[in-house]
Amino acid sequence: TNQVKIQNIIEDGQDIIEESVNRSGCKFKSIRDRVTGNKKKFIIDYNNKGSEHFWFDGDENVIKRISYSESGDIKQLLTYKSGKIIKRIAYCSPEEKQKYGQNIRVGMKYYPNGNVRFEIAQHPDSQIGTAKLYDVDGNLIKERTFLTPKGKATGFKLEE
């Protein structure tokens, strides 16, 4: 089994911090409000092979999640509302960014019903990308192709 090896509980002002390590070396850190006991943030360190950070609202629902690479660069950012993803951004690695001059590989925003509202995608091997706008039922309204000459995105606006 992969049970906890070490556990520390630290009271830090308004927060209670619980730290633990499992048998495979993954580290866990939970930050809770001292008064309510509600979780504010939770961190998983995958034994120096990247990490994930989760932020919570007052009712312990995840509101934001960031995944980091082992070098500490942001790989993906997810924003939640009422338990559903409303925004997703996947970032290029530093090597891809230097080679192709871009930061964002994929980005999405969602309607409250969970359907995709806006989507932008750019392949790491190309300076050409696509942006799509959907209606609330998931039907494609507009699609545009864009070019990022010399790593600088050209201006475009889908929502008019």
Side-chain angles (χ1 to χ4, degrees), residues 19-130:
E19 298 174 326
S20 59
V21 179
N22 68 14
R23 293 188 193 280
S24 64
C26 291
K27 298 173 188 166
F28 304 90
K29 186 177 203 176
S30 177
I31 302 169
R32 296 184 172 277
D33 184 278
R34 186 178 188 175
V35 176
T36 65
N38 289 342
K39 195 180 293 181
K40 295 166 94 176
K41 186 175 180 181
F42 187 75
I43 302 167
I44 305 169
D45 180 342
Y46 296 106
N47 201 12
N48 298 317
K49 293 183 177 136
S51 65
E52 291 187 281
H53 295 229
F54 300 83
W55 285 263
F56 299 85
D57 63 12
D59 295 325
E60 296 201 20
N61 297 309
V62 175
I63 55 174
K64 183 167 54 170
R65 174 181 167 188
I66 300 179
S67 300
Y68 294 90
S69 68
E70 60 187 81
S71 64
D73 296 309
I74 295 175
K75 290 180 5 183
Q76 180 169 263
L77 178 133
L78 298 169
T79 306
Y80 297 82
K81 185 173 184 180
S82 303
K84 294 182 180 178
I85 297 171
I86 59 170
K87 186 176 181 183
R88 179 175 80 90
I89 302 172
Y91 293 91
C92 291
S93 71
E95 296 81 24
E96 291 171 328
K97 182 178 169 187
Q98 287 178 357
K99 187 173 180 182
Y100 303 108
Q102 61 198 24
N103 290 321
I104 297 174
R105 179 180 294 148
V106 177
M108 299 173 102
K109 283 192 171 185
Y110 297 85
Y111 285 105
N113 67 4
N115 288 343
V116 175
R117 178 174 177 226
F118 177 77
E119 176 180 24
I120 186 169
Q122 184 171 3
H123 191 276
D125 294 335
S126 173
Q127 291 185 342
I128 296 173
T130 57

